[in-house]
Every structure is written in structure tokens, then in C-alpha cells.
Amino acid sequence: QVQLVESGGGLVQAGGSLRLSCAASGRTFRNYAMGWFRQAPGKEREFVGAIFWSSGNTYYIDSVKGRFTVSRDNAKNTMYLQMNSLKPEDTAVYYCAAKPSRVVITSPTYDYWGQGTQVTVSS
């Protein structure tokens, strides 16, 4: 069983930064895609960014390109989401997800999900 735990959320002023962590346990993620999603009240879950664990290949939605960076530490089985230049519209619960794959996955078809961490950006 794969377990994912997000941390690092909080309240930040617009223009500020946060780094989210996703600690994964249960198995190696060498052949996994791992991604970040977010969901605001009354809205559908939205893809943010993803990484193929082995190669480090990444993909982002246009609204976060240049501001957010997905990375991973293979030895620690931890994925990160560095968020800079935060905007109020980034406010949401952020989730990490994992799925066996040879490439990054941008659709909400992941097999495993964390519990989420709240990010609130004030204006």
C-alpha cells in the first residue's frame, strides 16, 4: 500500500512563497508518476504539476509556469512543490498523488492520494 502525506501549507500574503512536501511510503517510486492537484470550495479538483519520478520530467499548467516548481528527492521518497509569487487564486487544498507510469500524468487518474494541505493566499 502506498501512503502519501502532504505538509507545508499555511497562510501567506500575495507575492509570498511556500514549499509543500509530499512524503511517500510503502514502496519505491522509480516507475511512478507523481503529481500535485488543488481544489477550492465549489470547484473541481485541478491539476497543478507532475513529475516522472525516475527521469525528473515535469509538466505544469500554464497558470503556474514560472512560479511553481515540482521536484523530488529519490533517496527520501519525497516530492516537493515550491510555490513562489503566490496569488489569491492559488488558494486551495493541495493534494499529492501517485500512480505507476512511465511518463508524467496530468489527468486526475492517479491511484493514490494524500489527505491534502490547505494553502491560503491573502490579498
Side-chain angles (χ1 to χ4, degrees), residues 87-99:
K87 304 174 181 179
E89 52 263 45
D90 295 319
T91 295
V93 176
Y94 282 70
Y95 300 88
C96 67
K99 182 179 181 178

Side-chain angles (χ1 to χ4, degrees), residues 66-114:
R67 300 191 298 122
F68 291 10
T69 302
V70 178
S71 62
R72 85 279 190 260
D73 186 324
N74 180 257
K76 297 181 178 180
N77 280 350
T78 300
M79 177 177 65
Y80 304 96
L81 180 65
Q82 178 66 47
M83 304 185 293
N84 299 324
S85 301
L86 283 162
K87 304 174 181 179
E89 52 263 45
D90 295 319
T91 295
V93 176
Y94 282 70
Y95 300 88
C96 67
K99 182 179 181 178
S101 178
R102 294 287 297 174
V103 296
V104 297
I105 300 172
T106 62
S107 59
T109 56
Y110 285 80
D111 294 334
Y112 307 100
W113 296 85

Side-chain angles (χ1 to χ4, degrees), residues 2-108:
V2 173
Q3 293 185 319
L4 307 172
V5 180
E6 303 96 336
S7 62
L11 175 64
V12 64
Q13 189 178 85
S17 299
L18 285 173
R19 189 188 73 166
L20 306 184
S21 298
C22 175
S25 62
R27 64 180 65 192
T28 178
F29 293 89
R30 188 173 187 84
N31 297 310
Y32 273 66
M34 294 187 67
W36 289 97
F37 291 77
R38 63 189 181 187
Q39 188 166 25
K43 298 183 179 180
E44 295 182 348
R45 188 170 298 185
E46 176 188 38
F47 172 79
V48 177
I51 188 168
F52 178 63
W53 193 263
S54 297
S55 69
N57 291 344
T58 57
Y59 184 86
Y60 305 91
I61 56 171
D62 289 341
S63 62
V64 307
K65 288 181 179 177
R67 300 191 298 122
F68 291 10
T69 302
V70 178
S71 62
R72 85 279 190 260
D73 186 324
N74 180 257
K76 297 181 178 180
N77 280 350
T78 300
M79 177 177 65
Y80 304 96
L81 180 65
Q82 178 66 47
M83 304 185 293
N84 299 324
S85 301
L86 283 162
K87 304 174 181 179
E89 52 263 45
D90 295 319
T91 295
V93 176
Y94 282 70
Y95 300 88
C96 67
K99 182 179 181 178
S101 178
R102 294 287 297 174
V103 296
V104 297
I105 300 172
T106 62
S107 59

